[in-house]
Amino acid sequence: MAGPRILIVDDEPVVIKSAERVLRSEGYDVEGAAGGREAILKLEKGGYDLVFTDLKMPEVDGLTLIKWIRKSSQVIGIVIITGYPSQDTIKDALELGIIDYVPKPFTPSVLLDVTARAVEWTEGRKSKEESAGEEFPPAMAAELDRVIQQYKNRPGSLIPVLQRAQEIVGYLPPVVQRRISRGLNIPVAEVHGVVSFYSFFTMKPRGDHNIRVCLGTACYVKGIEAVTSKIKDVLKIDIGETTEDRKFSLEGVRCLGACGLAPVMVIDQETFGAMSAKKALEIIGRYDQSAVGAAVTEEAEADLTGKEN
Ligand code: FES
């Protein structure tokens, strides 16, 4: 049986090329379209399972394309692939039923992860076993629904439900936000507003361990920048990204409320104060020594040389 067929729609050829390279290496059947108009011409012929689309494109933009797909009778999963969508555009896209986002520029692991989930949801949606109109893995959906029922009609239920949902799914993609919105009877824009406001909620998949560095004023003054840049160097990720092996994610947050300990780093639920680059690497090494191995020794040697001079 042929694998899922994916259409990448973007007016930047480089985005199409890199997505094609990554997805083809994993056996996906991928094609590109340079804009909404070309995409519609291809989609009219049928046979696609997923569409990854940019939002801002000349002539026929992403939202117009999404509306066209929704009006057609085809079951196609839609993922937005974009740099900085505005809150209004996200709200419109959420209401039109997108599955997820891929941020631009993307790493191969983020793209593959989102694709695998999008394929799973789209296949689930096509499957006869799934109840009509659903687009969510059944086991996770059942657990999430149980939590929603538990909190339903209680005041202030949104944040605890989002917290539990993040524990169950690992992050809060649009499909989860919509399910919560329906279940608690709260507008999807309000759910999205809360998810984007609090730094502990994420719309992107995270690694096994989430490293948060505080970029607040006290931590900045005490040197968190040097600590952050060392972590980025050693783990080879930027803020907002996850390592290729999905072990660590790195997040920058504003004041963690522990300014007395500045500069502060938090891994999962544990807070570490008075960070230096060397100390940060040693601590990360406790979670996975292979991620920082040589770098810790180099930092220690640099320290000694510094002291001798
Ligand atoms: S500024 Fe970093 S904890 Fe407050």
Side-chain angles (χ1 to χ4, degrees):
M1 208 178 74
R5 196 156 169 233
I6 302 173
L7 184 64
I8 312 283
V9 189
D10 204 302
D11 54 339
E12 291 177 71
V14 65
V15 174
I16 296 183
K17 277 215 172 66
S18 48
E20 277 177 344
R21 198 173 47 239
V22 171
L23 295 173
R24 280 187 186 145
S25 71
E26 292 293 310
Y28 292 108
D29 181 0
V30 193
E31 275 175 51
R37 191 183 303 279
E38 189 184 330
I40 290 173
L41 288 175
K42 290 193 174 209
L43 291 167
E44 273 173 342
K45 294 182 189 145
Y48 291 92
D49 301 290
L50 275 181
V51 169
F52 284 62
T53 183
D54 188 11
L55 287 178
K56 271 179 131 182
M57 293 180 290
E59 296 189 0
V60 178
D61 66 8
L63 275 184
T64 312
L65 171 63
I66 296 171
K67 282 183 194 154
W68 183 90
I69 295 172
R70 287 293 170 245
K71 272 203 195 127
S72 77
S73 54
Q74 304 179 48
V75 178
I76 296 177
I78 301 169
V79 173
I80 288 180
I81 175 165
T82 195
Y84 300 97
S86 74
Q87 290 295 309
D88 279 353
T89 323
I90 287 193
K91 195 179 127 228
D92 290 347
L94 278 166
E95 278 162 6
L96 288 167
I98 60 162
I99 297 175
D100 215 331
Y101 304 100
V102 179
K104 262 200 289 199
F106 49 79
T107 60
S109 64
V110 166
L111 182 63
L112 289 173
D113 191 78
V114 170
T115 307
R117 285 171 195 261
V119 167
E120 192 180 347
W121 281 322
T122 308
E123 280 172 357
R125 193 161 174 189
K126 285 179 174 175
S127 147
K128 297 221 167 36
E129 285 111 62
E130 276 251 291
S131 53
E134 289 299 340
E135 45 182 31
F136 203 70
M140 278 186 187
E143 178 65 7
L144 189 52
D145 288 347
R146 203 186 52 71
V147 172
I148 291 171
Q149 281 313 315
Q150 189 186 338
Y151 282 92
K152 205 172 176 152
N153 302 325
R154 286 201 217 163
S157 58
L158 181 54
I159 288 182
V161 168
L162 287 170
Q163 281 172 322
R164 286 289 295 118
Q166 188 159 288
E167 281 164 24
I168 295 164
V169 183
Y171 69 123
L172 298 169
V175 68
V176 173
Q177 295 178 35
R178 276 199 302 277
R179 198 171 187 100
I180 293 172
S181 147
R182 279 199 305 267
L184 294 179
N185 205 14
I186 292 174
V188 72
E190 192 179 325
V191 176
H192 178 71
V194 171
V195 172
S196 353
F197 182 78
Y198 291 102
S199 62
F200 49 84
F201 290 134
T202 178
M203 286 189 265
K204 291 187 220 156
R206 281 177 172 157
D208 297 343
H209 301 292
N210 190 36
I211 304 170
R212 285 183 286 158
V213 282
C214 177
L215 304 176
T217 311
C219 290
Y220 188 83
V221 170
K222 295 269 188 152
I224 196 70
E225 229 188 335
V227 176
T228 309
S229 100
K230 179 55 81 178
I231 298 173
K232 290 196 312 199
D233 265 16
V234 171
L235 296 184
K236 300 188 182 62
I237 48 171
D238 217 329
I239 284 190
E241 292 183 347
T242 300
T243 53
E244 290 277 330
D245 61 5
R246 307 282 314 274
K247 290 242 169 76
F248 294 102
S249 306
L250 181 61
E251 237 185 276
V253 293
R254 297 281 155 199
C255 191
L256 288 157
C259 309
L261 301 174
V264 177
M265 169 178 89
V266 173
I267 301 188
D268 302 333
Q269 312 303 330
E270 221 180 323
T271 304
F272 303 94
M275 278 300 105
S276 65
K278 178 173 161 244
K279 206 165 149 190
L281 294 188
E282 278 168 2
I283 293 167
I284 293 169
R286 290 182 210 159
Y287 292 81
D288 180 14
Q289 189 55 39
S290 66
V292 295
V296 172
T297 324
E298 278 162 26
E299 277 297 310
E301 277 165 9
D303 240 29
L304 279 176
T305 323
K307 273 176 200 145
E308 278 160 16
N309 290 339

